[in-house]
Amino acid sequence: MTNPAPHLEIRFRGRVIEHLGIDMYQSPVAAIAELVSNSWDADSRKVSVTLPPKIGSGAEIVISDDGEGMTLAQCQSRYLNVGYDRRKDRGDDRTPGGRPMMGRKGIGKFAGFGIARFVMVETISKESGERTVFRLDATQLIEDADTYAESQPLKVEVLEYDEPEESRAARHGTTITLSDLALKMTPNAGQFRTSMARRFLLMERADEFRVEVNGESISDSEDVEKIEFTFPGDYTAEQLPEVVRVDEEGWGVETLPNGNKVRWKFVFYKEPIGEDELTGISIFSHHKLAQRPFLFNLSGGFGGQQGTSYLSGRVEADFLDEQKRDLISTERQRVNWEMEASQPLLEWGQARVKSLLRIWQGLRSKAKVDAMRKRMTPFSIRLGKLEKPERKIVEKALTSIARISSLNDEQFADLAEAMLSAWEGGRLRELIDDLSEADTMDAESLVKILAESRVMSALHAAERVKSQLNLITGLEERIKKRELENEVRDYIAENPWLVSPRWETFRVERSVKALVNEVAKEAYGEYWNARMDLVLSSGNQLLVVEFMRPGLKVDWDHLNRYERYVYKLQHATLAKYSEYRTVSGLLVADKIEKASDILAKIEDMRPKDMDATDWEGLLGRAKKQWEDYFEILFSRAPDDSRMQSLALPSGAGAA
C-alpha cells in the first residue's frame, strides 16, 4: 500500500544548486561519474547505467545500484542536506563495508542537474525496507532559489512512500532517473564506457564493484597493441631508480619525502595519443580520479619534450583524500598543487616524467634504427658496402633523424632510403655529415632532406617508368616480327607490368595448372590444343590470359567459347580454392573483328571480369598509362636537370 509521506524539504542559500550542479558537471561522463561515486560510498556491488538510444522527448538516463539505500529520514538528513559530510557524520572515512569513501563535500548528488532538468530518486533502505520516491526540479530550485533560506526551506514532493517492511529490504538500493536532458547528441556507449573506466581504478576491486553501461561492463584495460614502452617494467637494471620498488602487478611503488606513498605506471604509445583524457598523467585517490591528465605543470626546455604527446599514466595517491583540508576540486578534475601536502607529489611527478622522457627518447631512437634495419634488408646490405668511415657517418645521421618522434616507422624508412641514395649519388654529403655530428636536428635540415627525398623518389620512379616504356616498345617489335606465341607469353609472364601498371604485383601461378587444363579441355572441346594459358595471381585474384595464335582474328564463335571457358573456370576455382575470390580473363589476339555485334559482345563481357583486345589496343593502353604516370612524376620536380634529361619525346607524356 502506498501512503502519503511526511513532507521532505531541501535547505540551501542563494543560487548554490546552479553552481554545484549545472556549472560543474556539464558533460555526461562527469555528471554520472559523481553518481557512480555515491553508489560506491553506499557499498554497492553493482551499478547499472542505462543511456537512451537517442536524445529527444522522453529520453532518460538511469543509474541504478544495489547499495544500502536510504530511509525517509535519511533522505532528509543526508540526501537533501546540502554539504552533508558523511565522513564527519559517521566518524570514519570508510563505509560500513570497509571501503575508503570517495565523497567528501556532500554536493555530488546534484551533479545530475548539469545534464538534466529533473532528478528522480527511488530508494529502498537495507536497514528498514522503506521505499521512498521523490523528484527534484532544477528550474524550481534555481529560479526561486533566492527566496529560500534556512528558515524557509523548499518543499520537496514525495511521489511515493512505502513504510518499513522486512521482506522489501532484500531489494535495497537506489535508482536515479535523469530526464528532460540538456544534451545535443546521444552519448556513444562504447566511448562512454572507456571514459568511465579512466575515471575509476577498478581492476583491484573488480570482484566487489562492477559498473555496467547499457548492460556491458566498463573496462579498465589498456590497448596493449598500441603501447611501445611500459614503466617501470621497461627500465633496465641500470636505469631502475633505487627508490622504486616494482610490485607483483608491475606498478612502481615509492615513498615521497613527506612519508606518503604513491603507486604508479606510465606508458608510451607508438603513435601520438590524440585524446585529452588519455594524454598525460592522471592522479587517483581512493580509486577515483582526483586530477585529470596533466604533466605536473611542467613547462618547456627539457629533453625528450616531444614524447609528452605519447605519454599516458596513472598515479595512486590515496593520501590526497585523507588530509584535513580538502585538496581535490569539487568536480574532482584537479588537485590544489599550492598546498603544502600536495607539493612533494608535484615535485616527484616532474622529476619522474623528465627522467622517463629522456629514457624514451633514447629507446625510440634505437627502436627506429633497429626496426629499419630488420625491415629493410636491401638498405642494410647497401649500408654494409660503404667504407667504415662513411658507414659510421650515415648511421649517426640516421640515429639523429630517428629521434624525431613525429616520424612514424614508414616515414623514417623512406627518409633513410633517400639519405642513403643521396650519399651514394654524391649528393647532400655535407649536410648528412653535419647531421651525424648533431645531437638533435633542426627543422631547416629536415626540410632540406625531405625536399631532396621527394626529388630522389620521383627521379627513381621516373627512371623506372622510362625503362618500362622502352621495354613495351621492344615488345611491340617482337609482336610485329611474329615471334612464337610461347616466347611472347613467357616474356609477359616475367614482366606483367609491361601490359599495365596494375599488373605489377601479379606473378605466375602454377598451383592451378591442372584445374585450368581440365576446364579448358571441357569448354573448348575439339578446339582445345592442349596448351596451358598464362595464369597470374596477386593476393586473392587470379588472372587468366589467353593468347591466340598469330594471324588469327577473334570472331563470334571464339568469343562464345572463351566466355564459357572463363565462366566455368570462375566457378571451378571458387569451389576448389578458397584463397581466390576473383577470377578474371583476358583474351589477346592479332586482330579483332570490327563488326558491331562483336564489339558489343566484348563490352557486355567486361563488367563480368572478361576482356578481349588486340595487341595494338593492349600495348597502346599500357603505354598511355605509363606515360600518364611519368607525367605525374615529372611534375614533382620539373626544374630538376636530372628529371629534364628523362623527358619523353614531344607528344608523349611530359615535355
Side-chain angles (χ1 to χ4, degrees):
M1 178 177 179
T2 300
N3 301 314
H7 72 275
L8 292 172
E9 56 190 34
I10 183 169
R11 298 174 181 271
F12 57 92
R13 292 180 180 274
R15 306 181 67 84
V16 66
I17 300 299
E18 183 175 16
H19 298 304
L20 299 184
I22 293 178
D23 287 353
M24 292 187 178
Y25 305 102
Q26 293 187 346
S27 79
V29 173
I32 295 174
E34 280 301 320
L35 301 179
V36 171
S37 298
N38 289 345
S39 296
W40 168 276
D41 288 347
D43 277 331
S44 301
R45 301 300 183 194
K46 178 181 177 181
V47 184
S48 297
V49 179
T50 303
L51 303 174
K54 63 179 181 178
I55 297 299
S57 178
E60 296 179 337
I61 295 176
V62 180
I63 303 94
S64 180
D65 68 42
D66 59 357
E68 61 184 10
M70 294 177 286
T71 64
L72 177 70
Q74 289 168 342
C75 287
Q76 178 62 75
S77 63
R78 297 180 181 177
Y79 198 93
L80 297 177
N81 183 3
V82 178
Y84 167 72
D85 189 338
R86 189 189 303 232
R87 302 186 191 193
K88 183 177 180 181
D89 179 59
R90 296 187 174 184
D92 194 356
D93 62 359
R94 292 189 172 268
T95 69
R99 293 175 176 173
M101 287 187 185
M102 289 187 180
R104 180 165 186 150
K105 302 176 177 67
I107 57 177
K109 55 205 166 194
F110 297 116
F113 289 131
I115 59 173
R117 173 182 173 181
F118 297 110
V119 175
M120 187 169 74
V121 179
E122 177 181 1
T123 183
I124 299 176
S125 170
K126 181 179 181 181
E127 175 186 330
S128 67
E130 287 176 74
R131 175 176 173 271
T132 307
V133 182
F134 60 91
R135 188 177 75 164
L136 302 175
D137 180 348
T139 301
Q140 182 184 19
L141 293 175
I142 294 170
E143 291 183 355
D144 299 333
D146 291 334
T147 65
Y148 304 120
E150 191 69 25
S151 60
Q152 188 183 2
L154 169 65
K155 302 297 182 182
V156 175
E157 179 184 6
V158 177
L159 303 177
E160 298 180 41
Y161 174 71
D162 294 327
E163 295 182 346
E165 183 178 313
E166 186 175 349
S167 62
R168 190 187 300 116
R171 305 197 308 272
H172 59 85
T174 300
T175 297
I176 307 292
T177 302
L178 308 178
S179 58
D180 197 356
L181 302 175
L183 301 177
K184 295 181 180 179
M185 58 188 299
T186 306
N188 179 281
Q191 294 176 352
F192 194 91
R193 290 187 196 95
T194 300
S195 295
M196 288 291 287
R198 289 171 183 167
R199 287 175 171 263
F200 295 90
L201 284 177
L202 302 175
M203 293 182 69
E204 294 82 1
R205 296 181 175 269
D207 59 335
E208 64 177 62
F209 188 60
R210 179 183 177 90
V211 180
E212 294 182 349
V213 177
N214 285 5
E216 294 186 28
S217 295
I218 65 176
S219 172
D220 194 48
S221 61
E222 296 162 319
D223 194 340
V224 177
E225 292 183 355
K226 296 182 179 180
I227 293 174
E228 188 170 20
F229 307 113
T230 300
F231 293 94
D234 282 333
Y235 275 129
T236 64
E238 294 76 19
Q239 292 169 341
L240 181 66
E242 293 183 2
V243 295
V244 177
R245 176 178 65 84
V246 182
D247 67 15
E248 63 278 1
E249 294 178 349
W251 287 59
V253 180
E254 295 186 55
T255 301
L256 302 180
N258 61 359
N260 292 315
K261 288 187 176 181
V262 294
R263 187 169 177 262
W264 62 274
K265 179 183 282 188
F266 296 170
V267 299
F268 288 95
Y269 281 71
K270 296 176 182 177
E271 303 291 340
I273 299 171
E275 297 181 49
D276 289 343
E277 64 179 20
L278 189 59
T279 307
I281 310 303
S282 302
I283 311 294
F284 291 82
S285 188
H286 288 158
H287 307 282
K288 188 183 176 187
L289 186 70
Q291 167 72 57
R292 70 189 312 274
F294 80 140
L295 291 169
F296 293 95
N297 299 337
L298 283 172
S299 55
F302 50 89
Q305 187 173 348
Q306 291 177 323
T308 56
S309 60
Y310 297 76
L311 174 62
S312 180
R314 287 175 166 175
V315 174
E316 290 185 24
D318 288 345
F319 73 89
L320 290 174
D321 207 23
E322 297 169 355
Q323 306 299 309
K324 290 184 179 180
R325 183 164 180 179
D326 199 350
L327 302 179
I328 304 171
S329 66
T330 302
E331 80 285 12
R332 297 187 71 97
Q333 294 285 298
R334 59 191 180 280
V335 171
N336 185 346
W337 297 108
E338 300 300 321
M339 303 300 294
E340 183 179 352
S342 60
Q343 277 290 314
L345 177 59
L346 183 69
E347 294 169 0
W348 167 86
Q350 291 176 343
R352 183 63 63 236
V353 167
K354 285 183 178 180
S355 171
L356 287 176
L357 285 172
R358 287 192 295 269
I359 292 173
W360 169 84
Q361 187 178 41
L363 287 173
R364 179 86 169 181
S365 174
K366 182 178 183 300
K368 279 190 174 183
V369 174
D370 290 346
M372 173 271 298
R373 286 177 173 170
K374 185 181 297 184
R375 185 174 58 247
M376 297 178 61
T377 303
F379 179 91
S380 299
I381 293 174
R382 289 163 57 195
L383 188 60
K385 290 180 179 179
L386 296 177
E387 294 294 328
K388 188 174 180 179
E390 292 184 324
R391 184 168 67 248
K392 185 176 181 181
I393 291 172
V394 176
E395 284 180 338
K396 289 182 68 176
L398 291 177
T399 302
S400 179
I401 63 171
R403 292 194 182 101
I404 303 174
S405 57
S406 58
L407 293 177
N408 61 34
D409 288 342
E410 184 177 355
Q411 292 169 330
F412 174 65
D414 289 343
L415 193 53
E417 169 68 26
M419 282 184 59
L420 183 55
S421 296
W423 182 274
E424 292 171 334
R427 296 179 292 272
L428 298 181
R429 289 203 169 200
E430 183 178 351
L431 175 59
I432 295 172
D433 196 4
D434 290 342
L435 289 177
S436 70
E437 300 298 325
D439 292 331
T440 59
M441 184 164 59
D442 58 65
E444 183 179 355
S445 298
L446 178 59
V447 168
K448 286 182 180 179
I449 289 182
L450 288 174
E452 178 64 14
S453 171
R454 177 182 170 88
V455 172
M456 289 296 297
S457 297
L459 275 172
H460 179 72
E463 288 170 351
R464 181 166 167 270
V465 171
K466 186 72 176 289
S467 174
Q468 288 165 332
L469 285 168
N470 291 335
L471 287 173
I472 291 177
T473 301
L475 180 57
E476 287 178 316
E477 292 299 320
R478 300 185 76 165
I479 298 298
K480 291 177 182 178
K481 293 177 181 178
R482 304 290 190 190
E483 291 194 10
L484 294 177
E485 175 190 3
N486 287 344
E487 292 182 6
V488 172
R489 183 184 64 200
D490 293 343
Y491 190 62
I492 292 179
E494 294 174 4
N495 306 283
W497 47 265
L498 289 169
V499 180
S500 172
R502 61 190 183 91
W503 284 24
E504 194 161 15
T505 60
F506 282 80
R507 297 292 181 267
V508 174
E509 181 57 65
R510 295 184 172 84
S511 66
V512 296
K513 177 180 180 180
L515 179 64
V516 170
N517 279 334
E518 179 184 337
V519 173
K521 183 177 181 180
E522 180 182 350
Y524 284 111
E526 61 182 290
Y527 295 97
W528 187 59
N529 60 3
R531 79 186 191 288
M532 179 186 175
D533 296 317
L534 174 61
V535 182
L536 305 173
S537 69
S538 178
N540 57 17
Q541 182 179 4
L542 278 182
L543 175 64
V544 181
V545 187
E546 179 181 348
F547 300 102
M548 290 185 62
R549 289 191 299 275
L552 292 182
K553 181 186 295 186
V554 173
D555 58 18
W556 184 267
D557 290 337
H558 201 104
L559 281 179
N560 282 335
R561 291 192 295 269
Y562 162 71
E563 183 179 35
R564 182 167 181 255
Y565 162 55
V566 177
Y567 267 138
K568 282 181 168 292
L569 187 59
Q570 287 174 339
H571 289 290
T573 303
L574 293 176
K576 188 172 182 179
Y577 298 96
S578 59
E579 62 267 39
Y580 297 121
R581 299 178 184 176
T582 304
V583 179
S584 304
L586 175 65
L587 176 65
V588 183
D590 281 355
K591 299 283 185 182
I592 291 184
E593 201 171 293
K594 301 301 183 182
S596 59
D597 58 338
I598 297 292
L599 298 179
K601 177 67 174 177
I602 294 173
E603 286 296 325
D604 183 59
M605 291 192 306
R606 282 173 180 158
K608 304 169 187 176
D609 288 324
M610 306 176 205
D611 197 5
T613 184
D614 56 21
W615 283 107
E616 183 181 358
L618 183 69
L619 297 181
R621 286 204 307 261
K623 288 181 72 174
K624 181 63 169 61
Q625 289 175 317
W626 286 110
E627 287 169 355
D628 288 346
Y629 184 24
F630 183 90
E631 187 173 355
I632 293 172
L633 296 170
F634 188 91
S635 67
R636 295 178 182 174
D639 299 326
D640 189 275
S641 59
R642 296 163 294 181
M643 184 66 81
Q644 291 174 351
S645 69
L646 296 174
L648 298 177
S650 179

